[in-house]
Amino acid sequence: MTIDAMDWDGAYREDGFFDGPPPWNIGEPQPVIADLIRAGALRSDVLDAGCGRGEVSLALAAANCTVLGVELSDTAVAWARRSAVQRGLSNATFEQADITTFAGHDGRFSSVVDCTLFHALPIDKRDAYLKSVHRAAAVGADYYILVFAKGAYPAEMVSKPNEVDAYELHAAVGRYFDIDFIRPTPILAKVDALPGLPDVVLPFERDSLGRLQFPGYLLHARKSGSGIA
Ligand SMILES: C[S@@+](CC[C@H](N)C(=O)[O-])C[C@H]1O[C@@H](n2cnc3c(N)ncnc32)[C@H](O)[C@@H]1O
């Protein structure tokens, strides 16, 4: 099975593909995204594209942002909604939808955050995704993408994410947005053994909580006033 055929809802239902919960569920936002939230780099309204269980949306809401999390998996959306209620965060709402055909919020969002969605999409869906986000973003909106760098996973892994190199990322996003920077940054994941490759030892350091630090990129771009898409 390639990532393109991934059963995302099954992963959240812990259907056995992963050994337990999905490895990207680290119970908090990725550190680089938490830093952006702390720095006030994301402004209301925020679109959290591919929000999963909603940790980024909920951290944004706790920082007084109005945020909409969009996510394919019903199970993840239900979890995120429950968490918002438990934490008393009515400014975080969640919609079950395919982000590549997402519509109905044209020009609404001042910020868009993609925390490890980009590499989860089939490559031939990237353009439709970027068009959807461009449509939903306000003129001048900030757009942040956190994505695995090429080489994060071994070449022989069949179901690995669609990792990018910086040129590929720049070319894809630059069709619709003005790129400000692309910089290397780690992505944390709770991984002990890789699905289908139990003996492969990944050559990355772990943080103090034992989470592997995979190589990734953080991209920042803006929607210009000229508007295409
Ligand atoms: C690697 S996970 C990251 C989840 C979350 N952003 C986080 O940081 O924990 C990628 C997420 O994208 C979601 N996803 C994949 N394809 C999608 C699509 N076409 N539309 C919306 N969400 C999608 C998956 O269900 C999954 O929750």
Side-chain angles (χ1 to χ4, degrees), residues 8 12 24-25 30 48-53 56 70-73 76 97-100 115-117 119-121:
W8 295 102
Y12 286 104
W24 59 84
N25 273 347
Q30 291 287 333
D48 181 4
C51 66
R53 284 181 171 177
V56 169
V70 173
E71 167 57 48
L72 204 54
S73 159
D98 182 339
I99 195 72
T100 66
C115 180
T116 68
L117 165 71
H119 58 232
L121 295 171

Side-chain angles (χ1 to χ4, degrees), residues 118 126-127 130 166-177 179:
F118 197 86
R126 281 179 185 166
D127 208 60
L130 289 162
Y167 293 103
E168 174 188 3
L169 182 61
H170 194 289
V173 180
R175 287 193 67 192
Y176 299 100
F177 293 86
I179 311 282

